[in-house]
Amino acid sequence: MPKIFITLDKIKPAYDITYKVVLFICKLLLILDILITTMSVIGRYVPFIPDPAWSEEVVLTCMSYMAVLSAALAIRRGAHIRMTAFDVYLPKTVVKVLDILADAAVMVLGIIMMVVGWNYATTLGGRGFYVSMPWLSRFWMYFPVPLAGVAMVVFEFESIYNHIKSLFVKEEN
């Protein structure tokens, strides 16, 4: 194995930690989502349990975080939908180069999400407020887009690196 790959493999724990942090955030948001929704639904029928006015907006915000962050997690696992029907008919090197090209395109999307998402979060989101919580900026509703963009770029770096490494390092059986 070329020495550069041995050196670069030392950063793998950083990718693992990033994945675990993003996954943990998604799990916390799901738990929060379930608890708030449960309280809200029960609060409609049980008089002594409150049905907070802010529940719908908070639940929708949590769902938007989970949707885009879980998409970034799918990049790390290689679980995104992709066309593989013709891969068996192409040389393995061509498939790997096409995977690198696809990963580069997704990385560009992640960069666009970071830049444009941050712009929306700070401008449009910074001007608005939640209807049921006028003290809370809508920045938090737009923030998942640039956050997921960062996670996507991190995981795409790892994916591209792994594809390039597989071109130079023979697979061990």
Side-chain angles (χ1 to χ4, degrees):
M1 176 180 327
K3 188 171 179 131
I4 184 89
F5 294 120
I6 294 170
T7 305
L8 290 174
D9 279 344
K10 293 179 182 174
I11 198 169
K12 187 181 181 319
Y15 293 119
D16 295 337
I17 290 169
T18 304
Y19 181 83
K20 288 176 183 177
V21 167
V22 173
L23 183 62
F24 182 72
I25 290 169
C26 284
K27 288 177 180 181
L28 283 179
L29 289 168
L30 180 61
I31 291 168
L32 183 67
D33 216 8
I34 291 169
L35 291 174
I36 292 171
T37 303
T38 302
M39 183 177 80
S40 179
V41 170
I42 292 173
R44 293 177 189 160
Y45 302 104
V46 179
F48 60 88
I49 296 178
D51 178 14
W54 49 262
S55 62
E56 182 179 353
E57 288 178 316
V58 172
V59 165
L60 290 174
T61 300
C62 288
M63 285 182 177
S64 65
Y65 274 86
M66 287 185 293
V68 292
L69 290 175
S70 61
L73 292 174
I75 290 171
R76 176 94 196 284
R77 291 191 326 269
H80 272 291
I81 297 172
R82 55 184 285 268
M83 176 60 83
T84 58
F86 298 113
D87 286 1
V88 294
Y89 302 111
L90 297 171
K92 288 184 180 186
T93 305
V94 172
V95 172
K96 289 177 184 179
V97 169
L98 290 173
D99 285 342
I100 292 170
L101 182 64
D103 285 336
V106 174
M107 183 179 284
V108 169
L109 173 65
I111 292 168
I112 291 170
M113 287 174 65
M114 287 187 322
V115 172
V116 175
W118 183 256
N119 187 32
Y120 276 143
T122 55
T123 57
L124 186 62
R127 288 188 212 124
F129 298 93
Y130 285 90
V131 174
S132 61
M133 300 175 290
W135 49 270
L136 186 60
S137 169
R138 279 211 180 245
F139 167 85
W140 299 106
M141 185 171 226
Y142 292 95
F143 184 62
V145 175
L147 182 64
V150 170
M152 286 173 65
V153 168
V154 168
F155 295 141
E156 282 299 344
F157 266 123
E158 179 187 29
S159 182
I160 290 171
Y161 166 74
N162 288 335
H163 288 308
I164 292 172
K165 180 181 171 185
S166 72
L167 290 171
F168 294 98
V169 177
K170 298 291 181 208
E171 296 177 9
E172 296 177 14
N173 290 333

